[in-house]
Amino acid sequence: MSSTTQQKSSSTMWKCPEMVSEARLRLYNSFTKKKELFVPINGNEVRWYSCGPTVYDTSHMGHARSYISFDILRRVMADYFGYDVLYCMNVTDIDDKIIKRARERYLIKNYMDDSSIAIEKVLEDCQLALKHVKDIRARETDKDKQAMYDKQISTVENSLQNINTLSDMEAKRKKLFDDCRDILPTYLDFNYSHATNPLDNEVFLTLARHYESEFHNDMSHLNILPPHILTRVSEYVPEIIKFIEKIIENGYAYESNSSVYFETMKFHKQHSYAKLEPDRMGDINALSEGEGALTTASNTSKEKRNECDFVLWKKSKIGEPVWQSPWGLGRPGWHIECSVMASTILGSQFDIHTGGIDLKFPHHDNEIAQAEAYYDSDTWVNYFLHSGHLTIAGCKMSKSLKNFVTIQQALEKYTSRQIRLLFLLHSWVSTLDYSDHGMEKTLNYEKMLNEFFLNIKTHLRSMKQLNHSNAYTKFDENDLQLNERFSTAKKQIHIALCDSIDTPTVMENIRQLITTTNIYMNRTNAIINRLLLRNIAVYITRLIDIFGLNSSGSSSSSTDNIGFTRSSEQQQASSINVEDIAMPYVEQFALFRDAVRTQAITVKNKEILTLCDHVRNEILPELGVRLEDHAGTNKATIKFCDPEILRREREQALLVEKSKQEEKERRKLEQQLAKEAKEAKKKAPKEKKNTDSKNSTQPTNDEIVTDGATAMADGDASSSH
């Protein structure tokens, strides 16, 4: 054969497939306000800094909005896309809010513990505290805060008006402290903060450590992965001082009255200030608020060269923590901390910075400016991601307004899985509303997932192990159609995850795949391909593992663990597969119950049927077993569930039954009232006829005259009657 023939034959034997453009990860970048192709700086490594909490109070659902959202993004990037993520988060333990809260607690504790303070003095101080909060209310322009102050004022005024109804002095004292708890500490701090000087820094850090521990505990209960590196401001003060010195050396900051300020306009001429929110560059109110709760514009206006300048190092006032610096005793400003800690850990340039949308300006814009001023460069971070706002039943949530739901309160009502599902069903960049209505949809979605996994497991029990030839059966037309739908769903889910990790679209595709699979399983007299069902269930389980819907300790690589894992406490108690061990015994008991129940139905023995129902509804759910009786068959389906889920289902069923009974009683009452009204209507014409007949035999009012008196008016007659 000639060489030409050989070349021709080989070219017709095989042809290289054409490259199809593959979806690649894009992230919504706050710098450009659009989805940008994600390109890490160093190959597969992703360096990520996340703004952590300011630990001065209990964490609330606003915190959960950011930390659950970014935990989902982090898990997807590491476990789905395979990036090597280094995740660093800070804790702000030096801040005006912490200082004020610690000082107030110190003052109010000493005040309440001082038994020598007469009740008259306590009463006087409460009255002065009321006047103080009224003065604050008069200056407030925010309507929500006005409403908060109005509520506080009303509570205290009512208490002061009724305090003398109590005769016992200790009862009076307790009542005043309880009702004035929101305003008295603020008043004491306003008037006596100088009495707290000098306070050891430990007083402030003790409060911060308490709430930091509480925060970590909340994050653990929400199944949020801990950071690889955690930084605290109090541990980085030397680095902060050196960082500020370098910014001064580069010409972008100046010392004034023992404080140091960032020279915004000078920086803007050389670089670009307010990259995230350029339209807010002159927002003096936001800049002033960013300076801290203990700083007012009137205090710093003379120290600043421009009103847009912001503080890097604060001169400590009386009653504030102090650190030694080249500019005197002071403490770090708020914005400088993240610039320093992120740069120290992640370097002069890193991949991702995340935080809540409310931190965009001035905090994050100032962070960027400080770092770029330090390195004298124009790029510090490549992708800035911001989570959307969280509202409570459509209303703004804020600690200062005291209308927030704490994480602990939310977890008393819903599980961490249900809360995370709510977040997955909404975009991480948009506003999320936490409400009973939204949670109702979430609970329905969870139930759909759970029922799907239970039904799959029921089918898989009769499936042979994969090392057995009988586990593999020929795909018929229905199997091929479902497998094609499965393949399409996987492609659509991949595209959605590449599209700035669009979890709502992913969850909708999972729902559609489950619906299609349920139709396939529920066909009458159909032959079910159990291996295909297993493949679908394993894939969906892998996704819910990646999203963090199962506990972090669950093994997503094991194909035996299909569906939701049990609670973490149960997992820690035993690593044994309870279902595998218990199934033979439960199956035999179920068969015995089926036989007894069938016989009871035949002979119409209500007592035995009641006992069968009791075992099904009350006993087995506590053991994590659900029996489902089906009409037209005498064999119950066995499903192993988390006992907590079964308890909630039973409670919900009782509530539904109670609601139905109440509705039945209401309708019965309505029918009775309608019947009575109808009968009354029938009687009315007869009574009217009798009355008219009676009136016709009596004289009219005009005919009634008494001893020279004037005639009685119609109205008086009716009144008399």
Side-chain angles (χ1 to χ4, degrees), residues 460-522:
L460 295 187
R461 285 194 196 108
S462 58
M463 179 181 172
K464 297 290 185 182
Q465 294 295 319
L466 294 183
N467 58 4
H468 196 287
S469 61
N470 288 346
Y472 303 92
T473 57
K474 181 183 177 181
F475 273 40
D476 64 19
E477 187 61 31
N478 290 306
D479 301 339
L480 291 170
Q481 287 178 6
L482 178 60
N483 193 60
E484 193 61 33
R485 178 65 190 91
F486 178 32
S487 178
T488 302
K490 286 189 287 186
K491 291 174 187 174
Q492 291 172 336
I493 286 170
H494 179 69
I495 291 170
L497 289 174
C498 287
D499 187 19
S500 197
I501 309 182
D502 179 8
T503 59
T505 299
V506 172
M507 302 309 281
E508 175 58 22
N509 273 282
I510 290 174
R511 187 192 66 77
Q512 291 177 9
L513 177 58
I514 287 175
T515 300
T516 304
T517 308
N518 284 338
I519 293 170
Y520 169 86
M521 285 191 291
N522 295 332

Side-chain angles (χ1 to χ4, degrees), residues 27-31 48 70 73 77 276 352-357 364 383-387 428-429 500:
L27 295 173
Y28 185 86
N29 194 348
S30 293
F31 281 122
W48 187 331
F70 295 133
L73 265 61
M77 293 189 71
L276 297 171
I352 297 175
H353 193 317
T354 51
I357 194 170
H364 288 155
Y383 300 86
F384 227 122
L385 314 182
H386 288 97
S387 59
W428 59 271
V429 296
S500 197

Side-chain angles (χ1 to χ4, degrees), residues 391-448:
T391 56
I392 301 293
C395 298
K396 171 186 172 184
M397 186 181 75
S398 168
K399 276 187 175 180
S400 61
L401 304 181
K402 296 189 181 297
N403 72 332
F404 63 95
V405 176
T406 68
I407 291 171
Q408 294 162 20
Q409 288 169 337
L411 286 171
E412 288 173 3
K413 195 170 185 180
Y414 303 107
T415 67
S416 62
R417 176 184 295 149
Q418 290 163 351
I419 293 171
R420 186 173 287 253
L421 259 177
L422 173 71
F423 284 58
L424 285 163
L425 292 167
H426 292 78
S427 169
W428 59 271
V429 296
S430 61
T431 297
L432 185 151
D433 188 50
Y434 177 76
S435 64
D436 289 339
H437 177 68
M439 287 307 300
E440 184 181 351
K441 292 182 178 179
T442 301
L443 297 178
N444 288 334
Y445 194 99
E446 181 192 38
K447 185 175 182 180
M448 176 200 69

Side-chain angles (χ1 to χ4, degrees), residues 163-219:
I163 196 65
N164 289 326
T165 59
L166 299 173
S167 56
D168 183 74
M169 291 298 106
E170 281 306 310
K172 277 188 178 182
R173 180 186 291 267
K174 185 178 185 305
K175 175 71 173 170
L176 287 171
F177 285 151
D178 287 345
D179 292 342
C180 300
R181 65 184 180 277
D182 287 329
I183 67 169
L184 192 55
T186 305
Y187 166 75
L188 293 174
D189 184 59
F190 181 77
N191 286 278
Y192 304 112
S193 59
H194 60 277
T196 63
N197 195 58
L199 275 185
D200 192 287
N201 287 357
E202 198 62 25
V203 171
F204 306 101
L205 295 178
T206 297
L207 177 88
R209 279 196 287 267
H210 168 79
Y211 284 116
E212 183 191 332
S213 295
E214 201 176 88
F215 169 80
H216 291 312
N217 191 49
D218 287 342
M219 296 300 103

Side-chain angles (χ1 to χ4, degrees), residues 586 616 620-627 638-641 646:
V586 175
R616 180 193 61 198
L620 292 179
E622 291 298 325
L623 303 174
V625 178
R626 182 203 287 169
L627 285 185
I638 304 168
K639 294 180 179 179
F640 281 81
C641 301
L646 294 179

